């Protein structure tokens, strides 16, 4: 979906389900909209509601025309909407950031699109590589804010309404942001309400007819979604897991246990490294920003397998960690117990260090010319520091969750799921990112979310009766992806050709001696070496796909 203003609306080829919407008074919009509470919005509109059976985008547009930002805040769903409002262009992104929306300006004209590639093809736009975004990507393994890898193109943040004015100015309004609320009810009362919200979130995301798919890793998050889907759906539920064969540790025994317990039709897809090598370039090209996640190709293959089974809606367990407190918050909590640096930037620096990506390697990874160009750029800590200060969130754990939700959740987890599922004609839905579930999470006292070192405590208590104790009580281990085996095996030749090739050398981002050393496995990088090389390789593939000249 792409639009330009002042204000022509149109649809271009690309991922997603973009369509043109109009109201009776001819307010027009282009968007990709899926609503989970259409009946509620229709009831609020009363006699002003459009006819039943209308597209979700038309209903959302009517809600905005009648109630303004409050009409968007009342919606629950996945949406990106660009509205022609007189000479202005109004851009709206859903509460949590499931669907993306980008904007830029050339000459006297604004342009917006749900696809970065569509804007890249706009003839009026003159753009190129945005170096600060390269640094951010190598730090986080995704881009955590408004910036993109293309100079002059910006992303709308989730929960925001951006108005692009004909005179070239713009304003931004927040219509929803999680807020910490002191709710002194007992743990048992919070558990009961959370369980009801989880059941409702899953129910509203199940397809209205036919089978539903669930991506099942065997962890508590995907397992509880599988159990609730099997409980609430009146059609078959099919579950899907990934394996890599060989001796790579996996969680297939756990996912198989959950599938048997819930009575789902279960399928395991084995992904060989040769297939990853063959499909990596096309998979990276589907993303508006590369992600340093070696599961991208397996995720795409899994989506293709689900779609081939005739399923068009698949649920997942994404969201448990950023919403309820996964184990990756523990290093930050330990840091706070031991730090003696009063500088408020120290917390943001520690948060970045906890990612363990390439941030500490930048002085020896980037060329002197690149480092010189970045010398005057804003520090990368500015991208997370606002979330980590006393403000809306007073508890440190809630500050960390807020950061995770608004950075990794919105700009990595959800957008990756959306792009890879949409590319196969599938719609991926994430019940644990439900707005009401998130709101309730920030009402729950932190001691109930992280009980000692037992992460996501209250989430586990809310679903304990649904799952075997083996699943609920085991520590999170995560899927072991054989990245190092791929890079030293089927991806070895591709990695050398890309990272040491003429195009990469001409671009001049990376020091060749460092890349050669990493490819040889020199130094003390292990066991993180594979993940760091994956970042650099994904970035080079993305830049080539988007035609970013050296």
């Amino acid at each position: 979906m792409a639009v330009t203003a002042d204000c022509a609306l149109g649809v271009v080829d690309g991922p997603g389900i973009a369509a043109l919407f109009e109201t009776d008074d001819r307010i027009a919009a282009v968007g990709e909209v899926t609503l989970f509470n259409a009946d509620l919005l229709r009831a609020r509109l009363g006699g002003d509601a459009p006819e039943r059976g209308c597209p979700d985008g038309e209903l959302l547009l009517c809600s905005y025309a009648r109630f303004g930002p409050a009409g968007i805040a009342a919606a629950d769903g996945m949406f990106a909407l660009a509205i022609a409002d007189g000479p202005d262009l109004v851009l709206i992104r859903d509460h949590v950031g499931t669907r993306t929306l980008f904007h830029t300006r050339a000459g006297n004209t604004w342009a917006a699109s749900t696809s970065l590639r569509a804007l890249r093809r706009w003839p009026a736009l003159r753009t190129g590589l945005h170096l600060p975004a390269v640094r951010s990507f190598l730090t986080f393994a995704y881009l955590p804010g408004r910036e993109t890898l293309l100079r002059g193109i910006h992303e709308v943040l989730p929960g925001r309404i951006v108005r692009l004015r004909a005179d070239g100015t713009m304003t931004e309004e927040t219509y929803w942001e999680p807020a910490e609320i002191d709710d002194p009810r007992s743990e048992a009362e919070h558990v009961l309400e959370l369980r009801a919200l989880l059941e409702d979130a899953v129910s509203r995301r199940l397809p209205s007819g036919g089978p539903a798919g669930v991506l099942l890793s065997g962890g508590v998050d995907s397992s509880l979604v599988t159990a609730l889907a099997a409980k609430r759906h009146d059609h078959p539920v099919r579950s899907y897991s990934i394996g890599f064969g060989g001796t790579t540790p996996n969680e297939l025994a756990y996912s198989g246990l959950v599938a048997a317990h819930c009575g789902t039709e279960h399928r395991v897809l084995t992904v060989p490294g040769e297939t990853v090598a063959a499909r990596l370039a096309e998979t990276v090209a589907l993303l508006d920003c590369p992600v340093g996640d070696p599961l991208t190709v397996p995720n795409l293959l899994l989506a293709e397998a689900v779609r081939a089974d005739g399923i068009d809606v698949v649920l997942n367990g994404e969201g448990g960690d950023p919403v309820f407190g996964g184990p990756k918050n523990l290093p930050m909590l330990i840091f706070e117990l031991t730090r003696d640096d009063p500088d408020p930037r120290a917390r943001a620096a520690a948060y970045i260090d906890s990612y363990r990506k390439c941030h500490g390697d930048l002085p020896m990874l980037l060329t002197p010319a690149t480092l010189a160009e970045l010398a005057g750029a804003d520090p990368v800590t500015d991208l997370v520091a606002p979330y980590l200060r006393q403000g809306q969130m007073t508890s440190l754990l809630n500050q960390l969750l807020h950061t995770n939700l608004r950075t990794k959740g919105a700009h990595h987890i959800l957008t990756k799921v959306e792009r890879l599922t949409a590319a196969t004609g599938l719609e991926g839905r994430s019940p644990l990112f439900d707005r009401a579930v998130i709101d309730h999470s920030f009402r729950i006292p932190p001691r109930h979310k992280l009980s000692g070192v037992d992460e996501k405590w209250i989430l586990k208590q809310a679903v304990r009766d649904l799952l075997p104790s083996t699943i609920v009580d085991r520590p999170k281990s995560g899927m072991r992806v054989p990245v190092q085996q791929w890079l030293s095996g089927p991806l070895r030749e591709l990695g050398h050709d890309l990272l040491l090739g003429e195009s990469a050398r001409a671009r001049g981002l990376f020091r060749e001696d460092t890349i050669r050393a990493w490819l040889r496995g020199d130094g003390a990088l292990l066991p993180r070496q594979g993940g760091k090389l994956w970042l650099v390789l994904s970035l080079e593939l993305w830049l080539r796909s988007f035609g970013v000249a050296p």
Side-chain angles (χ1 to χ4, degrees):
M1 176 269 279
V3 299
T4 58
D6 38 356
C7 263
L9 298 180
V11 178
V12 298
D13 291 338
I17 49 174
L20 179 66
F21 310 113
E22 294 181 315
T23 66
D24 289 340
D25 52 1
R26 289 298 177 254
I27 297 176
V30 172
E32 299 176 14
V33 180
T34 301
L35 295 176
F36 303 131
N37 67 341
D39 287 343
L40 175 62
L41 293 189
R42 186 175 295 281
R44 283 170 54 91
L45 285 165
D48 293 333
E51 294 181 2
R52 288 194 174 275
C54 74
D56 282 355
E58 183 179 339
L59 182 58
L60 183 62
L61 182 58
C62 287
S63 185
Y64 174 76
R66 170 77 179 277
F67 300 111
I72 300 297
D76 183 28
M78 312 186 301
F79 50 85
L81 201 62
I83 303 171
D85 187 2
D88 300 343
L89 190 59
V90 177
L91 308 181
I92 302 172
R93 189 175 177 192
D94 65 61
H95 301 67
V96 293
T98 307
R99 292 193 169 135
T100 52
L101 194 52
F102 304 91
H103 61 86
T104 190
R105 185 172 175 84
N108 296 320
T109 304
W110 288 105
S113 178
T114 54
S115 166
L116 191 70
R117 188 178 294 277
L119 285 186
R120 179 77 175 92
R121 295 197 300 259
W122 186 28
L125 181 65
R126 298 292 180 266
T127 186
L129 182 61
H130 182 50
L131 271 182
V134 171
R135 182 189 58 179
S136 297
F137 173 73
L138 294 171
T139 297
F140 294 95
Y142 62 93
L143 294 181
R146 294 178 177 86
E147 63 182 347
T148 72
L149 284 163
L150 298 180
R151 188 176 58 252
I153 302 180
H154 304 281
E155 185 172 352
V156 177
L157 296 181
R160 305 297 200 274
I161 299 174
V162 173
R163 180 174 290 271
L164 307 176
R165 301 186 182 279
D167 63 4
T169 61
M170 59 181 289
T171 58
E172 180 183 81
E173 179 178 359
T174 299
Y175 69 83
W176 179 82
E177 191 69 33
E180 183 181 74
I181 295 175
D182 182 19
D183 188 337
R185 286 180 295 170
S186 69
E187 177 183 315
E189 290 173 301
H190 279 295
V191 164
L192 287 175
E193 182 171 349
L194 176 58
R195 172 59 174 271
L197 290 170
L198 291 170
E199 297 222 10
D200 184 56
V202 170
S203 296
R204 286 185 288 108
R205 284 162 177 79
L206 289 167
S208 57
V214 184
L215 304 184
L216 175 60
S217 69
V220 68
D221 302 334
S222 63
S223 296
L224 76 87
V225 171
T226 302
L228 288 173
K231 175 185 176 185
R232 302 299 294 260
H233 200 37
D234 53 5
H235 294 274
V237 173
R238 299 173 184 168
S239 52
Y240 298 82
S241 300
I242 295 175
F244 299 106
T247 59
T248 304
N250 60 65
E251 297 187 297
L252 294 178
Y254 294 111
S255 60
L257 173 64
V258 173
H261 179 79
C262 298
T264 64
E265 301 175 26
H266 191 56
R267 177 178 174 183
V268 176
L269 181 71
T270 301
V271 179
E274 292 75 14
T275 304
V276 174
R279 301 288 302 273
L280 180 58
E282 67 175 280
T283 304
V284 171
L286 294 171
L287 303 172
D288 293 307
C289 168
V291 292
D293 182 352
L295 280 172
T296 48
V297 174
N299 288 157
L300 179 63
L301 296 174
L302 200 56
E304 291 175 345
V306 175
R307 191 71 187 95
D309 283 347
I311 293 175
D312 53 18
V313 170
V314 64
L315 276 58
N316 60 68
E318 302 286 6
D321 287 353
V323 176
F324 289 99
K328 290 186 179 180
N329 295 292
L330 293 177
M332 279 294 297
L333 297 172
I334 294 171
F335 165 79
E336 287 293 325
L337 290 174
T338 59
R339 78 163 168 148
D340 54 9
D341 184 352
D343 189 334
R345 291 173 296 183
R347 179 181 286 178
Y351 182 90
I352 287 171
D353 289 342
S354 73
Y355 267 76
R356 301 176 68 193
K357 303 301 181 185
C358 290
H359 183 67
D361 304 297
L362 294 180
M364 69 174 185
L365 174 60
L366 298 178
T367 62
T370 301
L371 290 170
E373 284 194 60
L374 288 169
D378 292 336
V380 73
T381 49
D382 285 0
L383 295 167
V384 296
Y387 298 106
L388 294 170
R389 300 190 190 106
Q390 290 285 339
Q392 284 182 297
M393 308 291 171
T394 59
S395 153
L396 174 59
L397 179 60
N398 283 342
Q399 290 168 11
L400 291 172
L401 297 186
H402 192 205
T403 309
N404 298 340
L405 177 70
R406 282 318 203 189
T407 57
K408 187 172 184 177
H411 299 284
H412 174 187
I413 298 172
L414 285 166
T415 51
K416 183 190 75 165
V417 168
E418 169 66 13
R419 279 293 181 253
L420 297 182
T421 53
T424 67
L426 190 64
E427 190 166 273
R429 300 177 178 178
S430 307
L432 296 184
F433 277 110
D434 178 81
R435 187 196 69 212
V437 170
I438 294 170
D439 282 337
H440 185 68
S441 171
F442 286 104
R443 300 179 70 100
I444 297 171
R447 66 182 181 276
H448 297 327
K449 285 181 281 196
L450 186 63
S451 178
V453 294
D454 196 346
E455 71 277 0
K456 297 183 286 191
W457 170 257
I458 198 158
L459 182 65
K460 294 175 181 178
Q461 298 307 103
V463 298
R464 184 168 292 279
D465 63 307
L466 289 173
L467 297 166
S469 59
T470 305
I471 301 298
V472 176
D473 294 323
R474 74 184 183 92
K476 183 182 179 70
S477 58
M479 184 175 295
R480 299 293 187 267
V481 185
V483 179
Q484 196 62 51
Q485 295 176 31
W486 293 345
L487 290 168
S488 60
L491 277 169
R492 179 179 174 81
E493 185 175 340
L494 176 64
H496 280 74
D497 290 348
L498 284 172
L499 299 181
L500 299 174
E502 181 179 344
S503 179
R505 290 201 306 272
R507 194 171 283 113
L509 289 175
F510 304 117
R511 288 176 46 171
E512 188 174 330
D513 58 337
T514 298
I515 295 298
R516 288 188 181 278
W518 286 14
L519 288 168
R520 288 194 306 266
D522 292 353
L525 284 170
L526 293 175
R528 310 299 299 183
Q529 180 191 37
K532 295 180 178 185
L533 267 175
W534 192 270
L535 277 183
V536 179
L537 179 59
S538 298
L539 177 61
E540 177 63 23
L541 283 168
W542 190 93
L543 293 174
R544 292 188 181 207
S545 168
F546 274 71
V548 181

